[in-house]
Amino acid sequence: MAKSPANARKTLTSYTIKSIAKSIRPGDYVMMRAPDPSKPYVAKVAKIVSENGGSNNVKVHVQWYYRPEEVVGGRKQFHGTKEVFLSDHLDVQDADTIEGKCKVHSFKSYMKLDAIGNDDFYCRFRYNSSTGEFNPDRIAVYCKCEMPYNPDDLMIQCEGCSDWFHPACLDMTVEEAKQIGHFLCHDCLSQDQRIHQTCHAISRPAVIRVDTKRRRM
């Protein structure tokens, strides 16, 4: 029976990164060395391969996540600081360029987190690096400015229609918005509700008029 060469490649089920003393496996999300230490590259590990069959010269096959500033069109107002896009860009990198493990949540799961750490990211789009297209290409927009939701920005919700509004679009500060106990947009404000809001308004005009409209981008 022929013997396998000593330098044959071997697929690994896990690999320990000595610099961080953590084990990685296929399917893990990782942060990898980047020119800007404050913005490490984010990737998903697809496969771990030892080029010589041992624990040296280990490569990771990864699928990259792009940050908003790395895509066609750049960062937009509604992009959060922890937002990344799953791309079709596949790559092979030295395992030792991994600087830590992280978590890439769905947008819905991210919004339910009690606390957000440095290793928490979220993804709500797939990005085609060849065409510059996003999937989905339409998402819900909110407020009178008709912008998608940015979880970094405070918004207040109408108790009537459940739509969300930016304080600045209502001509109020963030501090003022935090003091509001009840809020109804103009479309939901009946005569009795106006009286109710007048009694509970805090340092604002009695009636806040907002024309709302929601569409798909």
Side-chain angles (χ1 to χ4, degrees), residues 5 8 16 22 25 51 67 73 79 90 105 113 117 139 174 176:
T16 299
K22 288 187 177 181
R25 298 175 180 274
E51 294 295 326
R67 294 179 184 269
H79 290 146
L90 306 178
H105 306 271
L113 294 177
I139 59 174
V174 171
E176 290 171 333

Side-chain angles (χ1 to χ4, degrees), residues 133-186:
E133 296 177 343
F134 289 91
N135 183 28
D137 60 355
R138 296 174 183 268
I139 59 174
V141 296
Y142 305 92
C143 190
K144 59 188 294 185
C145 65
E146 299 185 337
M147 291 289 291
Y149 183 55
N150 182 342
D152 297 340
D153 296 335
L154 175 71
M155 299 186 78
I156 55 177
Q157 187 177 33
C158 172
E159 296 180 359
C161 64
S162 298
D163 204 352
W164 292 85
F165 298 87
H166 300 105
C169 295
L170 301 175
D171 192 28
M172 70 173 67
T173 66
V174 171
E175 290 71 23
E176 290 171 333
K178 289 180 178 179
Q179 297 181 54
I180 294 179
H182 301 279
F183 171 71
L184 290 169
C185 69
H186 174 67

